[in-house]
Amino acid sequence: MTSPLVLDELKESFNANWGEDEFQWTDNVLWDSMTKIFAQTSGRIFIGMPLCRNADFLAEVVKYAECIIQVGTKIRGVPELLKPLLGQILIRPNLKHFKKIREHVGPVVEQRKAEIMAAQEDSPLGKDEPFDLLQWSIHRALESGDPVEIDTVMICKRFAIVCFAAIHTTSLTSTNLILDLIAADKDFNTIAKLREEIVEVQRHNKGKWDKPSLSKLVLMDSAIRESQRMHSAGSWALHRKVKAKNGLIMPDGLRAPYGADLAIAGYHVQRDESIYDDPNKFDPFRFARSREASANPSIGSQEELNGGAPESRKAQILKDRNAAAISTGPAQ
């Protein structure tokens, strides 16, 4: 996410959706604007200019993604016997939006396939070749030699699914984060502290954003993690269905029969008082403090974990290390 292309598109999309006036208030539906922003930004990576700024195309991509979630929710309540029938009815809106997406993306795919094939016979595309996901997908499809993969409709389908995965996860995280930061500002002076950190890191890095500079945003990293802790994508995580005919037997002896649905109660883990202090409170710098404490010898050593330290001490060391884990780190 530190590519100049991405940064350029983020700036363009934020200005288009939020405006550039620093003095006048404007109304903004946060979720709607975030889906538009990340549809455009991901579009720059996935298909490039000018389509990533085409309002009609972006609207269809967002609607397609929303329909997938709606259909997925509805189909769960349909009996297995009726799913093949009702499924065809439920996905009609998806097919309509995909048709619109294909009308935009299909001609681009056909043109690029022709250019790649011509370049193979003549001279390489070189630096003039588009640098985006669609181009990579077309190359892989052509290299496979599989007519199904080379088919333009199939490439468009894969493109649409990737857009769905990219847009809504990022939009959900960003929407919750912004609301959390605003709500916590009175108690933690959140916005000023984050702005100060960003300005200092950018000054130190001479205005350039890259992975090493992102790894220095300790407070921002903490705020994002805390927002995700408070507002995960769902109450349950890692949904799985038992496929073993004889079922599964857990370490504690509990038996899960064939066909049983299993999941982790993610919400309850994130609100567990034995893991987090005051777990129902949004504390934007919770993980920053843990990260700072991780440099303290009192957090424990590997020797203690491997040695004869009491189990209670080992449990505390693991808890502190988990809290100090970071999602940003130096470039490899």
Side-chain angles (χ1 to χ4, degrees), residues 310-323:
E311 290 301 317
S312 59
R313 173 59 178 160
K314 291 181 179 180
Q316 184 62 44
I317 293 174
L318 292 174
K319 175 184 175 181
D320 291 341
R321 287 189 176 187
N322 177 64

Side-chain angles (χ1 to χ4, degrees), residues 199-254:
V199 170
E200 175 60 23
V201 170
Q202 196 170 35
R203 182 192 65 78
H204 181 75
N205 211 42
K206 298 180 181 180
K208 183 180 70 173
W209 285 113
D210 52 24
K211 194 172 189 301
S213 61
L214 287 179
S215 70
K216 298 173 184 176
L217 297 177
V218 178
L219 298 182
M220 179 62 75
D221 178 80
S222 176
I224 294 173
R225 291 186 63 199
E226 178 71 348
S227 180
Q228 290 181 309
R229 183 187 72 82
M230 294 289 291
H231 311 291
S232 59
S235 299
W236 302 92
L238 300 177
H239 291 254
R240 297 291 185 271
K241 184 181 288 290
V242 176
K243 293 295 186 181
K245 295 297 182 181
N246 296 325
L248 294 176
I249 299 178
M250 309 298 176
D252 61 357
L254 180 66

Side-chain angles (χ1 to χ4, degrees), residues 155-228:
I155 295 175
C156 290
K157 286 180 178 179
R158 297 194 185 283
F159 174 85
I161 289 296
V162 171
C163 289
F164 156 71
I167 294 170
H168 271 61
T169 51
T170 313
S171 299
L172 180 64
T173 300
S174 302
T175 299
N176 285 330
L177 175 64
I178 291 170
L179 295 175
D180 284 334
L181 295 181
I182 294 172
D185 193 51
K186 181 180 178 181
D187 293 332
F188 296 94
N189 195 25
T190 314
I191 296 174
K193 289 181 179 179
L194 292 177
R195 180 181 288 117
E196 181 181 355
E197 179 182 62
I198 292 170
V199 170
E200 175 60 23
V201 170
Q202 196 170 35
R203 182 192 65 78
H204 181 75
N205 211 42
K206 298 180 181 180
K208 183 180 70 173
W209 285 113
D210 52 24
K211 194 172 189 301
S213 61
L214 287 179
S215 70
K216 298 173 184 176
L217 297 177
V218 178
L219 298 182
M220 179 62 75
D221 178 80
S222 176
I224 294 173
R225 291 186 63 199
E226 178 71 348
S227 180
Q228 290 181 309

Side-chain angles (χ1 to χ4, degrees), residues 236-292:
W236 302 92
L238 300 177
H239 291 254
R240 297 291 185 271
K241 184 181 288 290
V242 176
K243 293 295 186 181
K245 295 297 182 181
N246 296 325
L248 294 176
I249 299 178
M250 309 298 176
D252 61 357
L254 180 66
R255 182 177 180 275
Y258 170 75
D261 290 307
L262 303 178
I264 295 175
Y267 175 89
H268 301 286
V269 173
Q270 302 289 17
R271 303 298 180 101
D272 191 334
E273 291 183 352
S274 68
I275 302 176
Y276 301 102
D277 297 327
D278 199 2
N280 293 314
K281 180 180 181 180
F282 176 79
D283 180 350
F285 307 129
R286 179 191 303 273
F287 295 100
R289 292 194 300 272
S290 299
R291 184 172 176 177
E292 182 179 347

